[in-house]
Every structure is written in C-alpha cells, then in structure tokens.
Amino acid sequence: HVQLVESGGGLVQPGGSLRLSCAASGHSMCIVWFRQAPGKEREGVAAFDSDGTTYTSDSVKGRFTTSQDNANNTLYLQMNSLKIEDTAAYYCAARDAVGCRWQPSQYQYWGQGTQVTVS
C-alpha cells in the first residue's frame, strides 16, 4: 500500500516558480503528477518511472520537471514560467503496475492534492 502527501502549493504571479513535493511511503512502479482545473478533466503533466525515466506532457514541456530524492522518498515537481492556465489542484498518484500511463484511472493511490493559483 502506498501513501502520498503533497505540499508546496500556493499563490504565485505569472512567470513565477513553485516546487511541489510528494512524500511517498511504500513502493510503486510509477508516480505521476496530475492536475485538475475547475470544469476540466484531470490531466497528467509529469511522471517518474521506477527505472528513473521521467516524462513530461507537451502542455508543460520545457517549464515543468520532476525529480526524486531517494533519501527522503520524495518526488518533486519544479514548475517554472508559470502561466494563469496552470492554475489547478495538483495531485501525485502511484500505481503498482509496470510502466507509466497518463490515464488517471490507471492509478490506485492518490494524495489529497495541493492548490496552485497563478494570478
């Protein structure tokens, strides 16, 4: 069983940066950062595979990066050059199956989310 706790959200001006953290307990094969804006579907933005490979969606490529601190079992989402349209609740999610997927339904374990507001 995996438990996930996000932190680091807040209010930031356009062009600013934020770093989100996802503290994980237990082992998973992939952890993905999802976000959901009001009235929109949940969208995967970055993923960290258990082999160390990272993936970034086209919508945030070049601005967002994900990394892991193995010592603390914490995943980070570094968000730079933030735009108003990045405003959303951000979640980390994990799955037991091998490989990363962008579909939220593929993930069994979810954190409570952290709000990012760009304004």
Side-chain angles (χ1 to χ4, degrees), residues 6 11-12 19 22-23 37 44 49 58 63 68 75 77 82-83 102 104 106 110 114:
E6 303 97 333
L11 174 64
V12 63
R19 189 178 76 161
C22 173
D49 205 330
D58 289 342
R63 300 189 298 121
Q68 186 174 37
L75 193 72
L77 182 66
L82 282 162
K83 304 176 181 180
W102 289 125
Q106 297 292 318
W110 290 81
T114 186

Side-chain angles (χ1 to χ4, degrees), residues 55-68:
Y55 305 91
T56 310
S57 72
D58 289 342
S59 62
V60 302
K61 197 175 294 290
R63 300 189 298 121
F64 290 13
T65 57
T66 189
S67 60
Q68 186 174 37

Side-chain angles (χ1 to χ4, degrees), residues 13-86:
Q13 292 183 343
S17 298
L18 274 178
R19 189 178 76 161
L20 305 183
S21 300
C22 173
S25 64
H27 178 70
S28 63
M29 299 306 292
C30 178
I31 299 180
V32 173
W33 287 99
F34 287 94
R35 67 182 181 184
Q36 189 166 23
K40 294 189 176 182
E41 292 186 353
R42 196 163 290 192
E43 171 195 22
V45 296
F48 191 96
D49 205 330
S50 58
D51 66 0
T53 305
T54 60
Y55 305 91
T56 310
S57 72
D58 289 342
S59 62
V60 302
K61 197 175 294 290
R63 300 189 298 121
F64 290 13
T65 57
T66 189
S67 60
Q68 186 174 37
D69 180 344
N70 288 324
N72 295 320
N73 208 21
T74 299
L75 193 72
Y76 299 104
L77 182 66
Q78 179 67 44
M79 306 185 295
N80 299 326
S81 303
L82 282 162
K83 304 176 181 180
I84 292 174
E85 51 264 42
D86 294 319

